[in-house]
mmCIF file of all heavy atoms in Angstrom:
data_model
loop_
_atom_site.group_PDB
_atom_site.id
_atom_site.type_symbol
_atom_site.label_atom_id
_atom_site.label_comp_id
_atom_site.label_asym_id
_atom_site.label_seq_id
_atom_site.Cartn_x
_atom_site.Cartn_y
_atom_site.Cartn_z
ATOM 1 N N ALA A 27 51.362 -49.258 -46.312
ATOM 2 C CA ALA A 27 50.723 -50.201 -47.245
ATOM 3 C C ALA A 27 49.287 -49.762 -47.557
ATOM 4 O O ALA A 27 48.820 -49.876 -48.697
ATOM 5 C CB ALA A 27 50.732 -51.607 -46.654
ATOM 6 N N ILE A 28 48.594 -49.243 -46.548
ATOM 7 C CA ILE A 28 47.228 -48.754 -46.750
ATOM 8 C C ILE A 28 47.235 -47.548 -47.689
ATOM 9 O O ILE A 28 46.415 -47.455 -48.613
ATOM 10 C CB ILE A 28 46.578 -48.386 -45.398
ATOM 11 C CG1 ILE A 28 46.329 -49.653 -44.569
ATOM 12 C CG2 ILE A 28 45.271 -47.618 -45.612
ATOM 13 C CD1 ILE A 28 45.920 -49.376 -43.132
ATOM 14 N N TYR A 29 48.148 -46.640 -47.456
ATOM 15 C CA TYR A 29 48.243 -45.456 -48.326
ATOM 16 C C TYR A 29 48.572 -45.857 -49.767
ATOM 17 O O TYR A 29 48.075 -45.253 -50.719
ATOM 18 C CB TYR A 29 49.308 -44.493 -47.797
ATOM 19 C CG TYR A 29 48.914 -43.753 -46.543
ATOM 20 C CD1 TYR A 29 49.887 -43.283 -45.659
ATOM 21 C CD2 TYR A 29 47.576 -43.503 -46.244
ATOM 22 C CE1 TYR A 29 49.532 -42.586 -44.507
ATOM 23 C CE2 TYR A 29 47.217 -42.816 -45.091
ATOM 24 C CZ TYR A 29 48.203 -42.358 -44.229
ATOM 25 O OH TYR A 29 47.844 -41.669 -43.086
ATOM 26 N N GLN A 30 49.411 -46.887 -49.917
ATOM 27 C CA GLN A 30 49.751 -47.346 -51.266
ATOM 28 C C GLN A 30 48.526 -47.935 -51.955
ATOM 29 O O GLN A 30 48.286 -47.695 -53.140
ATOM 30 C CB GLN A 30 50.879 -48.379 -51.216
ATOM 31 C CG GLN A 30 51.349 -48.847 -52.588
ATOM 32 C CD GLN A 30 51.921 -47.708 -53.418
ATOM 33 O OE1 GLN A 30 52.852 -47.027 -53.001
ATOM 34 N NE2 GLN A 30 51.357 -47.474 -54.606
ATOM 35 N N GLN A 31 47.729 -48.702 -51.221
ATOM 36 C CA GLN A 31 46.494 -49.275 -51.785
ATOM 37 C C GLN A 31 45.554 -48.157 -52.233
ATOM 38 O O GLN A 31 44.941 -48.236 -53.303
ATOM 39 C CB GLN A 31 45.802 -50.156 -50.747
ATOM 40 C CG GLN A 31 46.510 -51.479 -50.495
ATOM 41 C CD GLN A 31 45.812 -52.283 -49.393
ATOM 42 O OE1 GLN A 31 45.158 -51.728 -48.519
ATOM 43 N NE2 GLN A 31 45.933 -53.594 -49.445
ATOM 44 N N ALA A 32 45.442 -47.120 -51.412
ATOM 45 C CA ALA A 32 44.580 -45.983 -51.762
ATOM 46 C C ALA A 32 45.117 -45.266 -52.997
ATOM 47 O O ALA A 32 44.347 -44.909 -53.902
ATOM 48 C CB ALA A 32 44.488 -45.016 -50.582
ATOM 49 N N SER A 33 46.426 -45.096 -53.049
ATOM 50 C CA SER A 33 47.047 -44.448 -54.215
ATOM 51 C C SER A 33 46.831 -45.275 -55.478
ATOM 52 O O SER A 33 46.577 -44.722 -56.562
ATOM 53 C CB SER A 33 48.547 -44.247 -53.951
ATOM 54 O OG SER A 33 49.166 -43.570 -55.017
ATOM 55 N N ASP A 34 46.900 -46.600 -55.330
ATOM 56 C CA ASP A 34 46.669 -47.495 -56.486
ATOM 57 C C ASP A 34 45.250 -47.337 -57.031
ATOM 58 O O ASP A 34 45.035 -47.383 -58.245
ATOM 59 C CB ASP A 34 46.898 -48.960 -56.081
ATOM 60 C CG ASP A 34 48.371 -49.279 -55.832
ATOM 61 O OD1 ASP A 34 49.231 -48.474 -56.251
ATOM 62 O OD2 ASP A 34 48.650 -50.321 -55.221
ATOM 63 N N ILE A 35 44.286 -47.157 -56.132
ATOM 64 C CA ILE A 35 42.901 -46.959 -56.570
ATOM 65 C C ILE A 35 42.802 -45.696 -57.422
ATOM 66 O O ILE A 35 42.158 -45.686 -58.481
ATOM 67 C CB ILE A 35 41.938 -46.888 -55.356
ATOM 68 C CG1 ILE A 35 41.814 -48.271 -54.709
ATOM 69 C CG2 ILE A 35 40.553 -46.367 -55.777
ATOM 70 C CD1 ILE A 35 41.032 -48.279 -53.402
ATOM 71 N N LEU A 36 43.451 -44.631 -56.985
ATOM 72 C CA LEU A 36 43.438 -43.382 -57.756
ATOM 73 C C LEU A 36 44.120 -43.574 -59.110
ATOM 74 O O LEU A 36 43.644 -43.075 -60.140
ATOM 75 C CB LEU A 36 44.137 -42.261 -56.982
ATOM 76 C CG LEU A 36 43.507 -41.838 -55.654
ATOM 77 C CD1 LEU A 36 44.278 -40.669 -55.066
ATOM 78 C CD2 LEU A 36 42.040 -41.473 -55.832
ATOM 79 N N ASP A 37 45.238 -44.314 -59.112
ATOM 80 C CA ASP A 37 45.970 -44.549 -60.361
ATOM 81 C C ASP A 37 45.112 -45.311 -61.363
ATOM 82 O O ASP A 37 45.178 -45.058 -62.575
ATOM 83 C CB ASP A 37 47.252 -45.342 -60.083
ATOM 84 C CG ASP A 37 48.288 -44.539 -59.309
ATOM 85 O OD1 ASP A 37 48.148 -43.304 -59.242
ATOM 86 O OD2 ASP A 37 49.229 -45.145 -58.767
ATOM 87 N N ASN A 38 44.297 -46.240 -60.870
ATOM 88 C CA ASN A 38 43.537 -47.122 -61.764
ATOM 89 C C ASN A 38 42.153 -46.605 -62.137
ATOM 90 O O ASN A 38 41.620 -46.976 -63.181
ATOM 91 C CB ASN A 38 43.424 -48.520 -61.137
ATOM 92 C CG ASN A 38 44.762 -49.236 -61.101
ATOM 93 O OD1 ASN A 38 45.464 -49.307 -62.093
ATOM 94 N ND2 ASN A 38 45.142 -49.755 -59.941
ATOM 95 N N THR A 39 41.586 -45.740 -61.293
ATOM 96 C CA THR A 39 40.272 -45.175 -61.617
ATOM 97 C C THR A 39 40.391 -43.801 -62.265
ATOM 98 O O THR A 39 39.463 -43.335 -62.913
ATOM 99 C CB THR A 39 39.381 -45.078 -60.364
ATOM 100 O OG1 THR A 39 40.075 -44.323 -59.365
ATOM 101 C CG2 THR A 39 39.052 -46.456 -59.817
ATOM 102 N N VAL A 40 41.516 -43.141 -62.062
ATOM 103 C CA VAL A 40 41.873 -41.853 -62.693
ATOM 104 C C VAL A 40 40.799 -40.765 -62.519
ATOM 105 O O VAL A 40 40.280 -40.242 -63.498
ATOM 106 C CB VAL A 40 42.199 -42.042 -64.200
ATOM 107 C CG1 VAL A 40 43.014 -40.837 -64.706
ATOM 108 C CG2 VAL A 40 42.947 -43.332 -64.461
ATOM 109 N N PRO A 41 40.480 -40.400 -61.262
ATOM 110 C CA PRO A 41 39.589 -39.256 -61.078
ATOM 111 C C PRO A 41 40.309 -37.919 -61.259
ATOM 112 O O PRO A 41 39.674 -36.864 -61.285
ATOM 113 C CB PRO A 41 39.114 -39.422 -59.634
ATOM 114 C CG PRO A 41 40.258 -40.115 -58.961
ATOM 115 C CD PRO A 41 40.855 -41.031 -59.990
ATOM 116 N N LEU A 42 41.630 -37.987 -61.373
ATOM 117 C CA LEU A 42 42.429 -36.787 -61.600
ATOM 118 C C LEU A 42 43.601 -37.142 -62.502
ATOM 119 O O LEU A 42 43.978 -38.314 -62.623
ATOM 120 C CB LEU A 42 42.948 -36.197 -60.285
ATOM 121 C CG LEU A 42 44.108 -36.887 -59.566
ATOM 122 C CD1 LEU A 42 44.731 -35.951 -58.554
ATOM 123 C CD2 LEU A 42 43.659 -38.165 -58.878
ATOM 124 N N LEU A 43 44.177 -36.131 -63.145
ATOM 125 C CA LEU A 43 45.307 -36.334 -64.044
ATOM 126 C C LEU A 43 46.493 -35.527 -63.524
ATOM 127 O O LEU A 43 46.607 -34.334 -63.802
ATOM 128 C CB LEU A 43 44.946 -35.886 -65.467
ATOM 129 C CG LEU A 43 46.053 -35.963 -66.513
ATOM 130 C CD1 LEU A 43 46.518 -37.397 -66.717
ATOM 131 C CD2 LEU A 43 45.580 -35.368 -67.836
ATOM 132 N N PRO A 44 47.365 -36.149 -62.724
ATOM 133 C CA PRO A 44 48.535 -35.417 -62.222
ATOM 134 C C PRO A 44 49.442 -34.993 -63.385
ATOM 135 O O PRO A 44 49.669 -35.769 -64.315
ATOM 136 C CB PRO A 44 49.241 -36.442 -61.322
ATOM 137 C CG PRO A 44 48.211 -37.492 -61.036
ATOM 138 C CD PRO A 44 47.347 -37.541 -62.245
ATOM 139 N N ILE A 45 49.936 -33.773 -63.343
ATOM 140 C CA ILE A 45 50.813 -33.284 -64.419
ATOM 141 C C ILE A 45 52.226 -33.011 -63.904
ATOM 142 O O ILE A 45 53.195 -33.518 -64.431
ATOM 143 C CB ILE A 45 50.229 -32.013 -65.076
ATOM 144 C CG1 ILE A 45 48.857 -32.312 -65.675
ATOM 145 C CG2 ILE A 45 51.173 -31.502 -66.179
ATOM 146 C CD1 ILE A 45 48.177 -31.107 -66.291
ATOM 147 N N TYR A 46 52.339 -32.197 -62.849
ATOM 148 C CA TYR A 46 53.676 -31.916 -62.329
ATOM 149 C C TYR A 46 53.598 -31.576 -60.847
ATOM 150 O O TYR A 46 52.538 -31.243 -60.325
ATOM 151 C CB TYR A 46 54.345 -30.766 -63.096
ATOM 152 C CG TYR A 46 53.677 -29.413 -62.912
ATOM 153 C CD1 TYR A 46 54.094 -28.524 -61.914
ATOM 154 C CD2 TYR A 46 52.637 -29.008 -63.742
ATOM 155 C CE1 TYR A 46 53.481 -27.289 -61.749
ATOM 156 C CE2 TYR A 46 52.018 -27.784 -63.589
ATOM 157 C CZ TYR A 46 52.443 -26.929 -62.579
ATOM 158 O OH TYR A 46 51.828 -25.711 -62.417
ATOM 159 N N TYR A 47 54.755 -31.696 -60.178
ATOM 160 C CA TYR A 47 54.866 -31.326 -58.773
ATOM 161 C C TYR A 47 55.513 -29.947 -58.677
ATOM 162 O O TYR A 47 56.437 -29.620 -59.429
ATOM 163 C CB TYR A 47 55.721 -32.340 -58.006
ATOM 164 C CG TYR A 47 55.133 -33.730 -57.967
ATOM 165 C CD1 TYR A 47 55.835 -34.822 -58.469
ATOM 166 C CD2 TYR A 47 53.868 -33.956 -57.424
ATOM 167 C CE1 TYR A 47 55.290 -36.100 -58.429
ATOM 168 C CE2 TYR A 47 53.323 -35.235 -57.387
ATOM 169 C CZ TYR A 47 54.035 -36.296 -57.888
ATOM 170 O OH TYR A 47 53.501 -37.553 -57.854
ATOM 171 N N TYR A 48 55.014 -29.163 -57.742
ATOM 172 C CA TYR A 48 55.563 -27.822 -57.503
ATOM 173 C C TYR A 48 57.012 -27.890 -57.004
ATOM 174 O O TYR A 48 57.438 -28.885 -56.409
ATOM 175 C CB TYR A 48 54.750 -27.105 -56.431
ATOM 176 C CG TYR A 48 53.442 -26.517 -56.902
ATOM 177 C CD1 TYR A 48 52.410 -26.316 -55.994
ATOM 178 C CD2 TYR A 48 53.239 -26.149 -58.225
ATOM 179 C CE1 TYR A 48 51.195 -25.769 -56.397
ATOM 180 C CE2 TYR A 48 52.035 -25.599 -58.637
ATOM 181 C CZ TYR A 48 51.015 -25.411 -57.716
ATOM 182 O OH TYR A 48 49.829 -24.869 -58.115
ATOM 183 N N VAL A 49 57.714 -26.809 -57.225
ATOM 184 C CA VAL A 49 59.027 -26.606 -56.609
ATOM 185 C C VAL A 49 59.035 -25.206 -55.996
ATOM 186 O O VAL A 49 58.106 -24.429 -56.216
ATOM 187 C CB VAL A 49 60.191 -26.726 -57.624
ATOM 188 C CG1 VAL A 49 60.396 -28.154 -58.052
ATOM 189 C CG2 VAL A 49 59.961 -25.817 -58.825
ATOM 190 N N GLN A 50 60.083 -24.907 -55.254
ATOM 191 C CA GLN A 50 60.207 -23.585 -54.642
ATOM 192 C C GLN A 50 61.482 -22.907 -55.149
ATOM 193 O O GLN A 50 62.535 -23.003 -54.525
ATOM 194 C CB GLN A 50 60.281 -23.707 -53.122
ATOM 195 C CG GLN A 50 59.108 -24.427 -52.481
ATOM 196 C CD GLN A 50 59.400 -24.753 -51.032
ATOM 197 O OE1 GLN A 50 59.987 -23.969 -50.306
ATOM 198 N NE2 GLN A 50 59.004 -25.934 -50.608
ATOM 199 N N PRO A 51 61.417 -22.240 -56.289
ATOM 200 C CA PRO A 51 62.611 -21.518 -56.773
ATOM 201 C C PRO A 51 62.946 -20.384 -55.794
ATOM 202 O O PRO A 51 62.057 -19.621 -55.409
ATOM 203 C CB PRO A 51 62.167 -20.953 -58.130
ATOM 204 C CG PRO A 51 60.920 -21.702 -58.481
ATOM 205 C CD PRO A 51 60.283 -22.080 -57.185
ATOM 206 N N GLN A 52 64.191 -20.330 -55.377
ATOM 207 C CA GLN A 52 64.584 -19.332 -54.370
ATOM 208 C C GLN A 52 65.932 -18.708 -54.714
ATOM 209 O O GLN A 52 66.834 -19.392 -55.221
ATOM 210 C CB GLN A 52 64.679 -19.991 -52.985
ATOM 211 C CG GLN A 52 63.342 -20.486 -52.470
ATOM 212 C CD GLN A 52 63.483 -21.616 -51.490
ATOM 213 O OE1 GLN A 52 64.493 -22.316 -51.479
ATOM 214 N NE2 GLN A 52 62.481 -21.828 -50.664
ATOM 215 N N MET A 53 66.045 -17.436 -54.444
ATOM 216 C CA MET A 53 67.322 -16.742 -54.558
ATOM 217 C C MET A 53 67.692 -16.260 -53.163
ATOM 218 O O MET A 53 66.981 -15.443 -52.575
ATOM 219 C CB MET A 53 67.214 -15.564 -55.532
ATOM 220 C CG MET A 53 66.944 -15.998 -56.970
ATOM 221 S SD MET A 53 66.782 -14.600 -58.114
ATOM 222 C CE MET A 53 68.460 -13.963 -58.078
ATOM 223 N N VAL A 54 68.763 -16.815 -52.625
ATOM 224 C CA VAL A 54 69.167 -16.494 -51.258
ATOM 225 C C VAL A 54 70.614 -16.008 -51.273
ATOM 226 O O VAL A 54 71.498 -16.674 -51.820
ATOM 227 C CB VAL A 54 69.046 -17.737 -50.342
ATOM 228 C CG1 VAL A 54 69.401 -17.374 -48.909
ATOM 229 C CG2 VAL A 54 67.638 -18.322 -50.418
ATOM 230 N N LYS A 55 70.837 -14.844 -50.705
ATOM 231 C CA LYS A 55 72.187 -14.295 -50.634
ATOM 232 C C LYS A 55 73.103 -15.249 -49.852
ATOM 233 O O LYS A 55 72.674 -15.899 -48.900
ATOM 234 C CB LYS A 55 72.162 -12.926 -49.940
ATOM 235 C CG LYS A 55 71.460 -11.827 -50.727
ATOM 236 C CD LYS A 55 72.293 -11.371 -51.910
ATOM 237 C CE LYS A 55 71.690 -10.123 -52.540
ATOM 238 N NZ LYS A 55 72.455 -9.694 -53.734
ATOM 239 N N THR A 56 74.350 -15.314 -50.271
ATOM 240 C CA THR A 56 75.304 -16.232 -49.627
ATOM 241 C C THR A 56 75.587 -15.862 -48.175
ATOM 242 O O THR A 56 76.056 -16.684 -47.400
ATOM 243 C CB THR A 56 76.630 -16.258 -50.402
ATOM 244 O OG1 THR A 56 77.113 -14.925 -50.524
ATOM 245 C CG2 THR A 56 76.439 -16.848 -51.789
ATOM 246 N N TYR A 57 75.279 -14.609 -47.797
ATOM 247 C CA TYR A 57 75.570 -14.195 -46.424
ATOM 248 C C TYR A 57 74.357 -14.317 -45.489
ATOM 249 O O TYR A 57 74.349 -13.756 -44.404
ATOM 250 C CB TYR A 57 76.129 -12.760 -46.385
ATOM 251 C CG TYR A 57 75.300 -11.726 -47.112
ATOM 252 C CD1 TYR A 57 74.122 -11.218 -46.564
ATOM 253 C CD2 TYR A 57 75.715 -11.238 -48.353
ATOM 254 C CE1 TYR A 57 73.376 -10.276 -47.217
ATOM 255 C CE2 TYR A 57 74.963 -10.286 -49.025
ATOM 256 C CZ TYR A 57 73.797 -9.802 -48.449
ATOM 257 O OH TYR A 57 73.050 -8.850 -49.110
ATOM 258 N N ILE A 58 73.336 -15.073 -45.922
ATOM 259 C CA ILE A 58 72.191 -15.331 -45.044
ATOM 260 C C ILE A 58 72.420 -16.657 -44.314
ATOM 261 O O ILE A 58 72.545 -17.705 -44.935
ATOM 262 C CB ILE A 58 70.871 -15.413 -45.842
ATOM 263 C CG1 ILE A 58 70.596 -14.106 -46.576
ATOM 264 C CG2 ILE A 58 69.699 -15.771 -44.918
ATOM 265 C CD1 ILE A 58 70.399 -12.905 -45.659
ATOM 266 N N GLY A 59 72.494 -16.607 -43.006
ATOM 267 C CA GLY A 59 72.647 -17.812 -42.196
ATOM 268 C C GLY A 59 71.310 -18.258 -41.639
ATOM 269 O O GLY A 59 70.349 -17.482 -41.597
ATOM 270 N N GLY A 60 71.226 -19.531 -41.239
ATOM 271 C CA GLY A 60 70.012 -20.042 -40.613
ATOM 272 C C GLY A 60 68.890 -20.364 -41.576
ATOM 273 O O GLY A 60 67.768 -20.631 -41.155
ATOM 274 N N PHE A 61 69.191 -20.353 -42.869
ATOM 275 C CA PHE A 61 68.174 -20.674 -43.872
ATOM 276 C C PHE A 61 68.402 -22.102 -44.357
ATOM 277 O O PHE A 61 69.487 -22.441 -44.826
ATOM 278 C CB PHE A 61 68.268 -19.709 -45.058
ATOM 279 C CG PHE A 61 67.299 -20.020 -46.174
ATOM 280 C CD1 PHE A 61 66.051 -19.439 -46.197
ATOM 281 C CD2 PHE A 61 67.636 -20.903 -47.186
ATOM 282 C CE1 PHE A 61 65.148 -19.720 -47.214
ATOM 283 C CE2 PHE A 61 66.742 -21.206 -48.210
ATOM 284 C CZ PHE A 61 65.498 -20.610 -48.214
ATOM 285 N N SER A 62 67.387 -22.932 -44.236
ATOM 286 C CA SER A 62 67.518 -24.291 -44.762
ATOM 287 C C SER A 62 66.199 -24.691 -45.399
ATOM 288 O O SER A 62 65.133 -24.514 -44.793
ATOM 289 C CB SER A 62 67.902 -25.279 -43.656
ATOM 290 O OG SER A 62 66.932 -25.253 -42.635
ATOM 291 N N PRO A 63 66.232 -25.213 -46.639
ATOM 292 C CA PRO A 63 65.002 -25.593 -47.342
ATOM 293 C C PRO A 63 64.241 -26.691 -46.610
ATOM 294 O O PRO A 63 64.834 -27.527 -45.928
ATOM 295 C CB PRO A 63 65.518 -26.111 -48.695
ATOM 296 C CG PRO A 63 66.881 -25.520 -48.836
ATOM 297 C CD PRO A 63 67.425 -25.420 -47.445
ATOM 298 N N ASN A 64 62.927 -26.681 -46.718
ATOM 299 C CA ASN A 64 62.110 -27.764 -46.205
ATOM 300 C C ASN A 64 60.938 -27.966 -47.156
ATOM 301 O O ASN A 64 60.583 -27.079 -47.926
ATOM 302 C CB ASN A 64 61.642 -27.484 -44.769
ATOM 303 C CG ASN A 64 60.718 -26.288 -44.691
ATOM 304 O OD1 ASN A 64 59.545 -26.361 -45.018
ATOM 305 N ND2 ASN A 64 61.274 -25.155 -44.276
ATOM 306 N N VAL A 65 60.326 -29.149 -47.110
ATOM 307 C CA VAL A 65 59.354 -29.534 -48.131
ATOM 308 C C VAL A 65 58.102 -28.666 -48.156
ATOM 309 O O VAL A 65 57.461 -28.521 -49.187
ATOM 310 C CB VAL A 65 58.949 -31.025 -48.011
ATOM 311 C CG1 VAL A 65 60.121 -31.916 -48.328
ATOM 312 C CG2 VAL A 65 58.367 -31.335 -46.640
ATOM 313 N N ARG A 66 57.723 -28.082 -47.020
ATOM 314 C CA ARG A 66 56.503 -27.272 -46.993
ATOM 315 C C ARG A 66 56.770 -25.805 -47.290
ATOM 316 O O ARG A 66 55.843 -25.014 -47.449
ATOM 317 C CB ARG A 66 55.802 -27.395 -45.639
ATOM 318 C CG ARG A 66 55.085 -28.744 -45.465
ATOM 319 C CD ARG A 66 53.977 -28.649 -44.424
ATOM 320 N NE ARG A 66 52.954 -27.703 -44.847
ATOM 321 C CZ ARG A 66 52.537 -26.678 -44.111
ATOM 322 N NH1 ARG A 66 53.046 -26.444 -42.936
ATOM 323 N NH2 ARG A 66 51.599 -25.874 -44.542
ATOM 324 N N GLY A 67 58.038 -25.409 -47.337
ATOM 325 C CA GLY A 67 58.337 -24.004 -47.607
ATOM 326 C C GLY A 67 58.051 -23.102 -46.421
ATOM 327 O O GLY A 67 57.694 -21.933 -46.590
ATOM 328 N N ASP A 68 58.217 -23.622 -45.215
ATOM 329 C CA ASP A 68 58.009 -22.817 -44.011
ATOM 330 C C ASP A 68 59.343 -22.212 -43.585
ATOM 331 O O ASP A 68 60.266 -22.934 -43.197
ATOM 332 C CB ASP A 68 57.464 -23.680 -42.868
ATOM 333 C CG ASP A 68 56.042 -24.147 -43.134
ATOM 334 O OD1 ASP A 68 55.324 -23.434 -43.852
ATOM 335 O OD2 ASP A 68 55.663 -25.226 -42.637
ATOM 336 N N TYR A 69 59.434 -20.897 -43.634
ATOM 337 C CA TYR A 69 60.677 -20.217 -43.264
ATOM 338 C C TYR A 69 60.364 -19.152 -42.221
ATOM 339 O O TYR A 69 59.420 -18.383 -42.380
ATOM 340 C CB TYR A 69 61.326 -19.573 -44.493
ATOM 341 C CG TYR A 69 61.563 -20.563 -45.605
ATOM 342 C CD1 TYR A 69 60.775 -20.550 -46.756
ATOM 343 C CD2 TYR A 69 62.548 -21.535 -45.489
ATOM 344 C CE1 TYR A 69 60.967 -21.472 -47.760
ATOM 345 C CE2 TYR A 69 62.751 -22.467 -46.495
ATOM 346 C CZ TYR A 69 61.967 -22.435 -47.619
ATOM 347 O OH TYR A 69 62.148 -23.363 -48.607
ATOM 348 N N TYR A 70 61.149 -19.133 -41.157
ATOM 349 C CA TYR A 70 60.928 -18.170 -40.083
ATOM 350 C C TYR A 70 62.134 -17.247 -39.969
ATOM 351 O O TYR A 70 63.269 -17.705 -39.799
ATOM 352 C CB TYR A 70 60.689 -18.903 -38.761
ATOM 353 C CG TYR A 70 59.507 -19.842 -38.824
ATOM 354 C CD1 TYR A 70 59.676 -21.225 -38.990
ATOM 355 C CD2 TYR A 70 58.199 -19.350 -38.740
ATOM 356 C CE1 TYR A 70 58.581 -22.076 -39.065
ATOM 357 C CE2 TYR A 70 57.103 -20.204 -38.816
ATOM 358 C CZ TYR A 70 57.294 -21.555 -38.980
ATOM 359 O OH TYR A 70 56.221 -22.404 -39.065
ATOM 360 N N THR A 71 61.871 -15.958 -40.080
ATOM 361 C CA THR A 71 62.977 -14.992 -40.039
ATOM 362 C C THR A 71 63.686 -15.009 -38.686
ATOM 363 O O THR A 71 64.850 -14.626 -38.593
ATOM 364 C CB THR A 71 62.464 -13.574 -40.330
ATOM 365 O OG1 THR A 71 61.352 -13.283 -39.465
ATOM 366 C CG2 THR A 71 62.010 -13.454 -41.774
#
């Protein structure tokens, strides 16, 4: 709830103009095991 209140302040005072969120385009061979996407893009060989 606190984070939402803080986010609301940013939405209403507009010190920044959000445009888009990043994504992680990836090409992974079908024979690679142990690979699973995660939000931060941390991958360990």
Side-chain angles (χ1 to χ4, degrees):
I28 291 170
Y29 288 154
Q30 183 62 57
Q31 287 177 333
S33 183
D34 289 344
I35 290 173
L36 297 183
D37 291 345
N38 291 310
T39 55
V40 199
L42 75 163
L43 177 62
I45 300 177
Y46 66 92
Y47 297 122
Y48 281 155
V49 288
Q50 303 168 40
Q52 295 154 337
M53 294 179 67
V54 183
K55 292 287 190 182
T56 55
Y57 52 76
I58 300 297
F61 177 91
S62 58
N64 65 78
V65 293
R66 285 203 62 234
D68 291 332
Y69 305 107
Y70 302 101
T71 52

